[in-house]
Amino acid sequence: MDGQHSEKSQSDTTADRTSSAMSQNPRAAQRQAGTRGNPEGDAPCPASHRISSPISRSMKDLSCMKVPQDPAHRDKQAHPTTILLCKSRSSQAALMPKEHKMFMEEAYNAAICFKMLRDLNGSDPLHLKYIIKKIKGMAYRAPNLVLETIHDYLVDNPEISSRHKFRLFHVLEAVIEASNSLEEAWQKSFMQLALENMTKSTELEEVYQDAASDVLLAICRHSWRMVAQHLETEVLTGVFPHRSLLYVMGILTSNEAIFNEGEKACWEEQLAQLAVKSVQFLNTDMWSKELLLALTKPDRTHQEQPPEKAFLFIYYGLILQAEDNSTTVRTHLRTLLDTSHQWPKQREGIALTIGLAAARHLDHVWAVLEQFGRSTPIKWSLHSFCLKNAEDLQWKWASSTILLSYGQMAVRAKAHILPWVDNILSRMVFYFHYSSWDETLKQSFLSAVLMLVGAVSRNEGAHSYEFSQVSELLDCLMVLMEKEPRDTLCTPTRQQTIHIISSLCKLRPPLDLEKKSQLLSTCLHSVLALPLLDVLEKHTCLFLEPPNIQTLYNKTSSALDQLLQSFIMQSPTTDELHLLLSHLYPWLASEKAQERQRAVDRSTALLRFLSHSHSLDPKEDFRRIGQLVGMLGILCQDPDRAIQQSSVEGLGHLYQLLISQTARAAPMVNAQAPKQLSPASVDGAPVWSSGDQKTAPPTPPEMTFPKDHIFQLDSSQVIKEVMKHLTKAELTDLIWTAIEGLGSASPFRVQAAADMLLTTIREHGAKLETVANLGRAIHLQLCSVCIPQAKEKALHAITLLAQNHTPELVATFLDFSVPLDSHAFCLWRALGAEQPVSRQVLAVLLAWLQERALPPGPRDGSPQPKDKPCPRSLAAMNMLHELQFAREFKKAVQEAFPQLLLALLAQLHYTLELHLPQEPHLPQEPLLPQEPHLPREPHLPQEPHLLQEPHLPREPHLPQELHLPQEPHLPQEPHLPQEPRSALEPQPGHEAPEAMPSPHSTSLEALKSLLSTTGHWQDFAHLELQGGWKLFSTIDTYPQGVSLLARAMVQNHCKQIKAVTSQLLPNLQSKEARERKVAILILTEFLYSPTLLEVLPRQAALIVLARSLRDPSPEVRVLSLQGLGNILFHPEKESLLRRQLPPFLDGFFQNNEQVVVQVMGTVSDVLHRLGAHSAAAQSLGVAINARSFFDDAGPSVTPSPRDLQERDGIRAAAMALFGDLVAAMAGKELSSLRTQVHQSMVPLFLHLKDHCPGVVTQAKFTLYRCAVLLRWRLRHTLFCTLAWERGLSARHFLWTCLMTHSQEEFGIHLAQALSYLHSRHRHIKTWAALFIGYTICYHPQAVSQMVSSVDTNLLFSTFEDLKKDPEPSIRVFATRQLYFLQKVAARP
């Protein structure tokens, strides 16, 4: 209960002072005026009559108008009315009835007000609330009456309780605020009342003081200058100001509603002057201590800071700003920073003080912050923060204070901050990365960056600076966006971050394309990927004060729109627009409806902005919008009604934009039109956006368009209208987009995409380019067509188009078939789905191959630019290569083998004529692998069982370990190398190589694949094992390559000789010299085949060759002459050549190595020329002599390296001669020759590791020829192993083949291998040891019986030496073999 007893805490001095204050109010002046007006000197009027003129006038207003009149009108009658009211009763009785009635009403209302003021001392809360409401209502109608009554009540009741007076202060504040004006006398009286009670100590403590302070603030609304003067006087006394004074000044500083327009700046100026006068107190210890104590005093609530404390931070900052002594400034700032940083408002206040000080002491403030950042507590909190006790909390968020301080520095330093921006940004980035990450740091970082960016944006000189740290700051912002919860939207973090990014994008240097793309991706994903708004609201249902999700999302979306608009304003080009739209395309195709809706809203907003602002440069061609039209057109059929409407609107704005660009670009032909940009605010940001502007901005006066015309059409008509303004390239993009939609998982998208595709084709179906566009579009997006019906429709459409448009489709597909991907290959297969069409496709490709167009690009050896298309002739070459692997074209390729063979050989010659640079193959898998090439082939008709043969694992190097069986066992049949995937088949994670192989290498690969895929692998093997493909690399050796291929066909009894002969005869009459050259080269070799005579009789062949002697080409004439010298036409040469063999054999033993090599080559040539009439009688001698040179090292006992190098040619020539002899004797049963062949197998096997590459090549080919003669199984696998396998498993396979097919010669092979242990060649010796090791492993008993003790010791010595071999796998093998050999040697 609040009684009306006097408060014990009130002193007599206070009471006297209160009475004195009351005597200086308007009422005292009115009493004096009344006395002077009363000649009898009457006593003062009773309380019931003490009503001043404002009361009388107010009551009159209340009774007559119930609305206060003009205060100036009331002031005019103030004193006369007062005198009238203080006259005698007789004088009052003389008043007119109307005046008397007004007087009585005023007295009645004053009495009611008095009673209500007395009732404020009650305790019923509801009743008190009602009374206060009534008094405030009365104050609104008659404020002066209430003021007079409150004043009288306080005078008549000086001993009322503090609680009662507290309530009176609240009422007084409301009355003063309700008054339109306040007389000066009232101002002084109530100001004095407030000043006296502001510092009074009562049981209500600060609440009471704040109520008195609020009265003073209410007076400030009428006369703030007078109050400010009193406040300044109190502050400058030298004693630290009372809390209430700071409270008033804090409200004045923060509440702009107190001031009229322009007065706030005056107050700030006066406050700055006050700070200048207060600088002297910084050096006063007591004043400074009380200041720091007030700043660090805990707040009642840590969420809100009291006004006096907020002002004190400002006041302190202004004082430090005015201080001239930098040492003092540094000392005070460091002392302030050493206080607690635990509470957010405290951190904000410290930062504000630092920022204000930086306005004049930027260098010193920076130094203090740097020093503080390197202090031990900060380092400890950054690197190893661990909460140990409550005191540690004061440092946990110190980095947050530093961040805010940097932001305040930027705001307060204004133009001086520009040179410091990069330094500040670098520190912000540092604290962002290394501080303890939490919500506090995030908010502080955002606030600081917002302040910095805002300060820079408002500075007109910012565009003359380049800020190098912007990129790092953007990285931090992207990290911050990515850390935002993906399923909640509770804070404006996203909105603030996007606003910051928008502002940063306007600074120099401009963002590069990669950074801009990253920003767009991050911002779009953070906003567009949010859940539905209903879901977002559910996440805030437990919040005490849940945010308005709809408003928050709208603002965030608006920020995103402004970001997109900011990008396009910085670079108003169609390329920039394409970049922005390209990041929206994935969201437009999203499977989630809310994501599609947000993306289409953003697209529509951007198009609306461009349509109205005309920001795009009119010089720019409006390109690459076909995809946008396709995306929006598909969304016009979205199940979501809002998406449909927004998509149609977007297409409408796009249509207007197209018309606008056309209209604005027309005047640019003759004159440069002024560039019109959208209206912008001071900082360059657009003043309107689709997110928060209800009405569209007005169209600039220079450009007016028909309104609502396009928006009145339905979606299909809008699409057609837009398509009328698209170029052919854009229409192609539209078709690509439609076909891409066919691969969507949403049924509506598939249907809409099909409709879009049909609409486009229907509108432009009569044009020839429609077939090409459709083919390209299906190629680009065929992989995304996941609905079988849609894919079948696309491929079937190609098949149907091929019936009447095969040449057009082939030409079109050639354009994107180099390099070839799996989807393009599906289109080619679709072309050949019908057998007649497949033949026609090959015919068209051969026709394109005949075009022989020069490739574009430089001819100086530099790589061909990627953006230039390959000539269709070379593309046809590539496709002829690839289609050989397609089952749809398998039969057609078989039928066209002769034509393809001759065409490919001619193409090879053509590429050599061009002298094109031969590009090396890519390290990744090429279109057709060079090694191994043949395993790619399908089933071979000659040996259909080969595909069922086991697989030989590949090992590119020697194995790291050799696992020997614990018990010996016979080896299993080795496997055939697994057929690798065709480059035409889809490769997981593998796309077509970026760099293209050279035309020459493609032509050569096509020739190889032709042989392998059509069953001519034996012919392929002949060239591969001899290295014959190298002959096709130069124009000089090209004839040898063709002859070698034709010779292989003859020796292998190729079934296509007759067909090829029939095809090459017309080519002998061709206009192209290269085709005649190829034909004559093949014909001269075919003369050695008996099959030739079935097609071309002997006499006809003579006529053909004789005619070719008159060919314009000298090469053709020379080749024809050589053909006429064939033994076919001169049977007498047979005996002559045979008689020359014995002298040639004697020439093998000449001392001149070159002579020996030439003699051996001559013998090989004689054997070739004899052909079917081979010298069987001399075969044994030739074989014995040739085999004796397999290990030839010359006549010297200890040959020098030069001797060894010179004798390599002899060994290679001897192996080649032996192979030619074996091939010549094929099909003839000569037991003696077979014995020589068996005895040559081990030397040939071991020479596969010869140091001379030429010897290795001849060893491979001769070994293969011997295997053919001996009729080994798995000849195809043997060829693959010899051609490409390099590992230990390959040697194991060869050893297995040898030991399996030559069991009778086991002892001979073992003895030969033992003899090679004495070889001077380390590799041969090593592989001889491996050979013996395999033999010991698998045939230990036989070895133990045949090997002598001397041989055993030699083996031990050899394996001991191999234990020191540099190759780890050999050392391991030798170690295990030693152990195994010991066990074998220990057997009885």
Side-chain angles (χ1 to χ4, degrees):
M1 290 291 294
D2 292 333
Q4 296 186 11
H5 60 278
S6 63
E7 301 294 333
K8 296 181 180 180
S9 61
Q10 294 180 353
S11 64
D12 296 337
T13 305
T14 304
D16 295 341
R17 191 169 56 195
T18 304
S19 302
S20 174
M22 293 301 173
S23 64
Q24 299 176 3
N25 57 45
R27 178 174 172 79
Q30 291 163 4
R31 287 198 191 107
Q32 294 176 4
T35 303
R36 287 193 300 268
N38 184 7
E40 290 80 17
D42 293 342
C45 300
S48 59
H49 293 170
R50 289 197 296 242
I51 303 175
S52 63
S53 64
I55 300 177
S56 303
R57 189 62 187 172
S58 298
M59 292 309 300
K60 183 177 181 181
D61 296 339
L62 179 63
S63 60
C64 299
M65 302 178 60
K66 296 188 179 181
V67 176
Q69 293 185 0
D70 184 18
H73 179 69
R74 294 198 300 262
D75 293 340
K76 292 178 181 179
Q77 300 184 10
H79 292 290
T81 308
T82 303
I83 297 173
L84 176 62
L85 291 176
C86 293
K87 287 183 179 181
S88 63
R89 295 179 182 270
S90 58
S91 301
Q92 295 173 7
L95 293 172
M96 297 176 62
K98 184 175 181 180
E99 293 292 335
H100 178 69
K101 180 179 180 181
M102 290 178 56
F103 174 80
M104 295 305 297
E105 289 180 356
E106 292 172 359
Y108 175 76
N109 287 321
I112 291 176
C113 181
F114 192 90
K115 181 179 184 303
M116 287 192 294
L117 293 175
R118 184 184 60 194
D119 292 342
L120 287 175
N121 195 31
S123 59
D124 186 359
L126 293 177
H127 185 60
L128 288 175
K129 185 177 180 181
Y130 172 75
I131 292 175
I132 293 175
K133 183 178 179 181
K134 293 289 290 182
I135 295 176
K136 289 182 178 181
M138 182 178 291
Y140 177 77
R141 295 187 297 271
N144 287 325
L145 182 145
V146 179
L147 286 174
E148 175 70 15
T149 307
I150 293 174
H151 182 272
D152 291 344
Y153 188 87
L154 291 172
V155 172
D156 294 342
N157 302 278
E159 302 299 329
I160 60 176
S161 66
S162 300
R163 193 174 299 276
H164 192 185
K165 188 177 294 186
F166 164 76
R167 294 167 182 166
L168 288 174
F169 284 155
H170 274 301
V171 173
L172 180 59
E173 175 196 1
V175 173
I176 294 176
E177 288 182 350
S179 301
N180 292 329
S181 65
L182 190 65
E183 295 180 2
E184 184 178 354
W186 284 124
Q187 294 175 9
K188 293 180 179 180
S189 177
F190 287 120
M191 182 175 65
Q192 187 65 31
L193 173 67
L195 290 172
E196 291 176 356
N197 286 274
M198 282 166 51
T199 58
K200 184 181 295 186
S201 298
T202 65
E203 74 275 12
L204 298 180
E205 299 178 349
E206 295 181 359
V207 177
Y208 179 87
Q209 296 173 356
D210 291 346
S213 301
D214 290 337
V215 173
L216 192 62
L217 288 169
I219 297 173
C220 288
R221 296 179 181 274
H222 300 278
S223 180
W224 68 270
R225 296 182 186 275
M226 181 177 63
V227 175
Q229 188 63 37
H230 281 277
L231 293 174
E232 181 177 348
T233 302
E234 294 290 338
V235 170
L236 296 178
T237 58
V239 179
F240 189 77
H242 189 272
R243 187 200 67 83
S244 297
L245 297 174
L246 300 175
Y247 172 87
V248 174
M249 300 178 78
I251 298 297
L252 285 175
T253 304
S254 61
N255 191 356
E256 297 185 0
I258 295 176
F259 301 96
N260 295 327
E261 184 177 358
E263 292 181 343
K264 182 63 182 298
C266 297
W267 160 250
E268 292 176 352
E269 179 64 26
Q270 187 169 346
L271 188 60
Q273 294 298 325
L274 176 62
V276 173
K277 297 176 183 178
S278 302
V279 170
Q280 55 183 329
F281 303 134
L282 289 178
N283 298 321
T284 305
D285 292 341
M286 183 60 66
W287 197 91
S288 299
K289 289 180 180 179
E290 290 189 16
L291 171 64
L292 189 62
L293 182 63
L295 290 174
T296 57
K297 179 182 177 182
D299 301 329
R300 290 189 298 269
T301 62
H302 297 292
Q303 301 300 323
E304 296 182 2
Q305 193 175 48
E308 63 272 15
K309 192 171 182 179
F311 170 76
L312 199 55
F313 280 113
I314 298 175
Y315 182 46
Y316 193 15
L318 292 174
I319 295 176
L320 293 176
Q321 184 184 118
E323 172 62 60
D324 295 327
N325 192 328
S326 60
T327 303
T328 303
V329 173
R330 291 192 178 200
T331 302
H332 279 268
L333 289 179
R334 184 54 194 266
T335 303
L336 181 62
L337 287 170
D338 288 337
T339 60
S340 175
H341 301 264
Q342 182 175 356
W343 306 111
K345 292 299 180 180
Q346 188 76 9
R347 296 191 293 269
E348 294 174 6
I350 294 174
L352 179 57
T353 300
I354 293 174
L356 289 170
R360 189 160 173 250
H361 304 284
L362 187 56
D363 295 346
H364 303 296
V365 171
W366 174 265
V368 170
L369 287 176
E370 286 292 286
Q371 181 184 9
F372 181 65
R374 294 184 175 91
S375 62
T376 301
I378 300 300
K379 292 182 178 179
W380 174 63
S381 65
L382 289 178
H383 299 291
S384 59
F385 183 82
C386 180
L387 189 61
K388 298 180 179 178
N389 51 60
E391 294 182 358
D392 294 340
L393 287 175
Q394 68 173 332
W395 300 110
K396 180 177 181 180
W397 294 287
S399 57
S400 175
T401 304
I402 298 176
L403 284 171
L404 294 173
S405 300
Y406 286 132
Q408 290 290 352
M409 287 173 57
V411 173
R412 306 298 170 177
K414 297 181 181 179
H416 302 289
I417 201 62
L418 291 179
W420 293 82
V421 169
D422 278 333
N423 291 334
I424 293 177
L425 288 178
S426 66
R427 303 310 296 162
M428 286 182 171
V429 171
F430 170 80
Y431 285 110
F432 176 85
H433 286 300
Y434 295 100
S435 300
S436 300
W437 181 263
D438 56 11
E439 190 68 21
T440 299
L441 174 66
K442 180 177 69 174
Q443 293 300 328
S444 301
F445 177 78
L446 278 178
S447 300
V449 176
L450 277 171
M451 287 187 284
L452 176 63
V453 171
V456 173
S457 300
R458 290 189 296 269
N459 199 306
E460 296 181 356
H463 293 288
S464 61
Y465 282 83
E466 288 196 1
F467 304 104
S468 59
Q469 294 293 318
V470 168
S471 179
E472 284 73 12
L473 178 60
L474 289 173
D475 291 337
C476 295
L477 294 172
M478 285 191 288
V479 171
L480 191 148
M481 289 283 282
E482 292 170 354
K483 286 187 176 182
E484 280 296 290
R486 300 296 176 86
D487 57 347
T488 59
L489 181 65
C490 304
T491 63
T493 299
R494 288 182 173 87
Q495 172 192 348
Q496 294 172 351
T497 305
I498 295 175
H499 276 309
I500 294 172
I501 294 174
S502 299
S503 300
L504 290 176
C505 293
K506 302 173 185 176
L507 303 180
R508 296 176 58 201
L511 300 179
D512 56 37
L513 185 62
E514 181 180 0
K515 180 68 68 176
K516 191 178 296 186
S517 180
Q518 292 175 355
L519 288 171
L520 286 171
S521 299
T522 303
C523 295
L524 289 173
H525 189 276
S526 182
V527 178
L528 302 185
L530 287 171
L532 291 169
L533 296 186
D534 294 340
V535 178
L536 293 175
E537 290 178 351
K538 290 179 181 179
H539 286 284
T540 63
C541 60
L542 299 179
F543 286 20
L544 294 178
E545 296 181 0
N548 189 323
I549 297 298
Q550 183 67 56
T551 302
L552 195 57
Y553 173 76
N554 290 341
K555 291 183 178 180
T556 305
S557 300
S558 177
L560 187 58
D561 288 337
Q562 292 181 4
L563 175 65
L564 299 177
Q565 296 168 13
S566 177
F567 278 135
I568 200 66
M569 290 293 291
Q570 295 300 313
S571 179
T573 63
T574 54
D575 290 337
E576 186 75 7
L577 177 61
H578 176 70
L579 174 66
L580 301 181
L581 293 175
S582 64
H583 285 79
L584 285 168
Y585 289 152
W587 299 99
L588 290 172
S590 173
E591 298 299 327
K592 297 181 180 179
Q594 73 271 17
E595 294 179 355
R596 295 198 303 273
Q597 180 177 354
R598 293 163 184 167
V600 75
D601 288 343
R602 304 287 72 76
S603 303
T604 301
L606 180 61
L607 294 172
R608 183 190 305 115
F609 170 78
L610 293 174
S611 175
H612 288 282
S613 64
H614 310 293
S615 300
L616 286 180
D617 190 347
K619 297 179 183 178
E620 291 279 333
D621 293 333
F622 205 58
R623 299 172 285 108
R624 296 193 292 184
I625 61 169
Q627 186 175 2
L628 176 63
V629 176
M631 300 291 280
L632 294 179
I634 291 175
L635 291 177
C636 287
Q637 299 186 32
D638 196 281
D640 192 307
R641 183 66 177 172
I643 297 178
Q644 293 182 20
Q645 295 176 351
S646 185
S647 301
V648 174
E649 181 187 356
L651 286 172
H653 290 300
L654 178 60
Y655 174 80
Q656 290 184 337
L657 189 57
L658 288 168
I659 299 298
S660 171
Q661 286 297 107
T662 304
R664 297 176 68 224
M668 300 297 296
V669 177
N670 300 321
Q672 180 71 29
K675 188 175 181 180
Q676 297 291 338
L677 296 177
S678 63
S681 59
V682 176
D683 59 353
V687 297
W688 69 274
S689 69
S690 63
D692 55 4
Q693 190 75 11
K694 299 300 182 182
T695 59
T699 303
E702 75 275 5
M703 197 66 61
T704 305
F705 306 104
K707 295 183 178 179
D708 300 331
H709 164 69
I710 193 69
F711 300 105
Q712 294 176 354
L713 305 176
D714 58 25
S715 60
S716 61
Q717 292 176 327
V718 172
I719 294 173
K720 291 179 181 179
E721 289 295 324
V722 174
M723 286 173 56
K724 292 179 181 179
H725 299 275
L726 300 182
T727 63
K728 292 182 180 179
E730 290 165 349
L731 289 172
T732 302
D733 290 339
L734 177 57
I735 296 176
W736 291 349
T737 306
I739 295 179
E740 182 180 5
L742 295 176
S744 174
S746 301
F748 93 88
R749 291 190 65 85
V750 176
Q751 184 61 43
D755 294 342
M756 177 68 67
L757 180 62
L758 291 176
T759 300
T760 309
I761 294 177
R762 185 182 300 112
E763 293 294 325
H764 304 277
K767 298 179 181 179
L768 183 62
E769 291 78 6
T770 301
V771 176
N773 292 339
L774 181 58
R776 292 190 185 96
I778 293 177
H779 160 249
L780 289 175
Q781 297 299 336
L782 191 62
C783 62
S784 61
V785 180
C786 57
I787 298 179
Q789 295 81 358
K791 187 170 186 178
E792 182 180 356
K793 179 190 294 186
L795 294 178
H796 185 61
I798 296 297
T799 303
L800 294 178
L801 287 173
Q803 294 177 354
N804 299 314
H805 300 281
T806 301
E808 295 90 334
L809 288 174
V810 169
T812 300
F813 290 175
L814 285 175
D815 292 339
F816 56 73
S817 294
V818 180
L820 183 68
D821 57 41
S822 60
H823 313 301
F825 187 62
C826 289
L827 297 177
W828 284 101
R829 293 179 61 181
L831 279 179
E834 298 179 356
Q835 194 62 34
V837 178
S838 64
R839 298 191 187 98
Q840 188 179 0
V841 169
L842 290 181
V844 174
L845 288 174
L846 286 172
W848 275 112
L849 189 65
Q850 300 298 323
E851 292 294 325
R852 314 288 191 210
L854 289 177
R859 296 279 300 279
D860 57 357
S862 60
Q864 179 174 325
K866 296 180 182 179
D867 56 345
K868 293 186 178 181
C870 290
R872 286 179 175 173
S873 62
L874 300 181
M877 180 75 262
N878 181 64
M879 286 313 307
L880 287 172
H881 167 215
E882 300 294 348
L883 292 181
Q884 296 167 15
F885 301 95
R887 64 176 181 270
E888 290 83 0
F889 290 88
K890 183 175 182 179
K891 185 176 181 180
V893 170
Q894 291 277 4
E895 295 174 353
F897 175 81
Q899 297 94 323
L900 290 172
L901 177 65
L902 297 176
L904 294 179
L905 288 172
Q907 181 70 11
L908 273 171
H909 194 282
Y910 164 69
T911 57
L912 292 174
E913 290 174 354
L914 295 178
H915 302 288
L916 291 177
Q918 298 186 22
E919 302 176 11
H921 287 280
L922 297 176
Q924 59 260 42
E925 188 176 340
L927 292 178
L928 181 65
Q930 297 284 347
E931 292 186 354
H933 169 75
L934 192 61
R936 193 177 172 183
E937 60 179 320
H939 295 278
L940 300 176
Q942 288 85 344
E943 298 186 26
H945 64 281
L946 291 181
L947 291 181
Q948 282 75 36
E949 294 177 357
H951 168 67
L952 175 67
R954 289 189 173 183
E955 293 181 21
H957 302 287
L958 291 175
Q960 299 299 324
E961 296 185 5
L962 178 65
H963 299 283
L964 295 178
Q966 296 180 358
E967 297 296 335
H969 60 85
L970 292 177
Q972 297 180 357
E973 189 87 355
H975 293 280
L976 179 71
Q978 186 176 3
E979 185 176 345
R981 288 175 83 95
S982 169
L984 307 175
E985 299 177 6
Q987 303 281 345
H990 174 72
E991 295 297 332
E994 294 182 2
M996 292 168 43
S998 66
H1000 176 77
S1001 62
T1002 302
S1003 303
L1004 184 59
E1005 291 302 314
L1007 178 61
K1008 292 179 181 180
S1009 61
L1010 178 66
L1011 296 175
S1012 63
T1013 57
T1014 54
H1016 298 82
W1017 71 267
Q1018 295 95 337
D1019 307 331
F1020 178 89
H1022 272 242
L1023 272 76
E1024 183 68 29
L1025 292 177
Q1026 294 183 83
W1029 302 119
K1030 296 179 181 178
L1031 299 174
F1032 292 98
S1033 60
T1034 63
I1035 196 69
D1036 297 330
T1037 59
Y1038 172 83
Q1040 302 176 36
V1042 177
S1043 298
L1044 190 62
L1045 175 59
R1047 185 177 305 175
M1049 296 175 67
V1050 172
Q1051 292 178 355
N1052 292 317
H1053 309 290
C1054 178
K1055 296 179 181 180
Q1056 292 282 356
I1057 289 181
K1058 292 191 292 183
V1060 173
T1061 303
S1062 301
Q1063 186 65 34
L1064 66 82
L1065 291 177
N1067 285 8
L1068 290 172
Q1069 308 299 323
S1070 173
K1071 296 180 180 179
E1072 297 288 342
R1074 67 179 72 89
E1075 294 183 357
R1076 301 196 304 273
K1077 180 179 179 180
V1078 170
I1080 197 66
L1081 282 170
I1082 296 176
L1083 180 61
T1084 54
E1085 290 295 333
F1086 277 6
L1087 292 174
Y1088 295 101
S1089 173
T1091 311
L1092 175 72
L1093 299 178
E1094 300 178 13
V1095 180
L1096 188 65
R1098 180 175 176 274
Q1099 190 63 32
L1102 280 172
I1103 296 174
V1104 169
L1105 292 174
R1107 186 187 303 119
S1108 297
L1109 289 175
R1110 299 187 296 272
D1111 194 274
S1113 172
E1115 293 179 282
V1116 175
R1117 295 198 298 270
V1118 171
L1119 291 171
S1120 301
L1121 187 61
Q1122 293 176 358
L1124 288 172
N1126 192 284
I1127 195 172
L1128 175 66
F1129 307 115
H1130 306 281
E1132 67 276 6
K1133 285 187 176 182
E1134 178 182 351
S1135 59
L1136 177 64
L1137 292 174
R1138 287 178 180 177
R1139 288 195 300 269
Q1140 298 300 320
L1141 284 177
F1144 287 152
L1145 295 180
D1146 295 336
F1148 287 5
F1149 301 96
Q1150 297 290 327
N1151 292 329
N1152 191 320
E1153 289 79 1
Q1154 295 182 356
V1155 173
V1156 175
V1157 171
Q1158 292 176 359
V1159 170
M1160 289 183 178
T1162 302
V1163 173
S1164 295
D1165 187 61
V1166 168
L1167 294 175
H1168 169 64
R1169 291 183 181 277
L1170 287 174
H1173 313 280
S1174 58
Q1178 293 87 357
S1179 62
L1180 182 60
V1182 174
I1184 293 173
N1185 283 276
R1187 199 171 64 82
S1188 65
F1189 288 91
F1190 282 8
D1191 298 293
D1192 179 75
S1196 59
V1197 177
T1198 307
S1200 64
R1202 181 177 180 182
D1203 294 334
L1204 291 175
Q1205 183 177 5
E1206 291 176 351
R1207 306 298 292 188
D1208 289 341
I1210 296 178
R1211 292 188 290 117
M1215 293 179 185
L1217 174 59
F1218 192 85
D1220 291 338
L1221 176 64
V1222 169
M1225 294 298 105
K1228 299 179 177 61
E1229 293 294 336
L1230 298 175
S1231 58
S1232 57
L1233 180 61
R1234 294 178 67 87
T1235 301
Q1236 294 297 320
V1237 171
H1238 281 295
Q1239 294 178 1
S1240 69
M1241 298 303 285
V1242 170
L1244 292 173
F1245 170 78
L1246 296 180
H1247 277 289
L1248 295 177
K1249 292 298 292 184
D1250 197 283
H1251 69 276
C1252 177
V1255 175
V1256 174
T1257 299
Q1258 293 303 328
K1260 286 181 180 181
F1261 186 47
T1262 304
L1263 184 62
Y1264 169 77
R1265 282 180 155 182
C1266 292
V1268 173
L1269 178 69
L1270 297 176
R1271 299 179 181 179
W1272 283 10
R1273 295 174 58 247
L1274 305 175
R1275 289 191 294 274
H1276 182 269
T1277 306
L1278 176 66
F1279 155 61
C1280 295
T1281 305
L1282 290 172
W1284 302 303
E1285 296 293 343
R1286 298 291 183 269
L1288 199 58
S1289 60
R1291 305 303 166 196
H1292 179 268
F1293 169 70
L1294 295 175
W1295 175 88
T1296 302
C1297 291
L1298 179 62
M1299 302 307 290
T1300 301
H1301 296 91
S1302 306
Q1303 296 181 1
E1304 296 82 0
E1305 289 79 18
F1306 177 83
I1308 298 175
H1309 294 335
L1310 183 60
Q1312 288 177 323
L1314 287 170
S1315 68
Y1316 275 95
L1317 293 178
H1318 301 280
S1319 176
R1320 292 183 298 270
H1321 300 290
R1322 184 177 66 85
H1323 290 294
I1324 295 179
K1325 182 179 179 179
T1326 299
W1327 286 110
L1330 291 177
F1331 183 91
I1332 298 171
Y1334 280 128
T1335 307
I1336 295 174
C1337 177
Y1338 291 103
H1339 304 283
Q1341 185 174 1
V1343 172
S1344 62
Q1345 294 175 358
M1346 299 179 62
V1347 176
S1348 65
S1349 60
V1350 177
D1351 294 332
T1352 303
N1353 293 333
L1354 179 60
L1355 284 173
F1356 276 115
S1357 175
T1358 302
F1359 286 125
E1360 284 292 343
D1361 293 339
L1362 289 180
K1363 288 173 64 176
K1364 303 175 183 178
D1365 194 273
E1367 184 67 34
S1369 61
I1370 299 298
R1371 296 198 298 268
V1372 174
F1373 178 83
T1375 302
R1376 296 184 179 182
Q1377 281 297 322
L1378 276 174
Y1379 172 76
F1380 197 72
L1381 184 60
Q1382 292 171 357
K1383 293 177 62 178
V1384 173
R1387 293 183 178 183

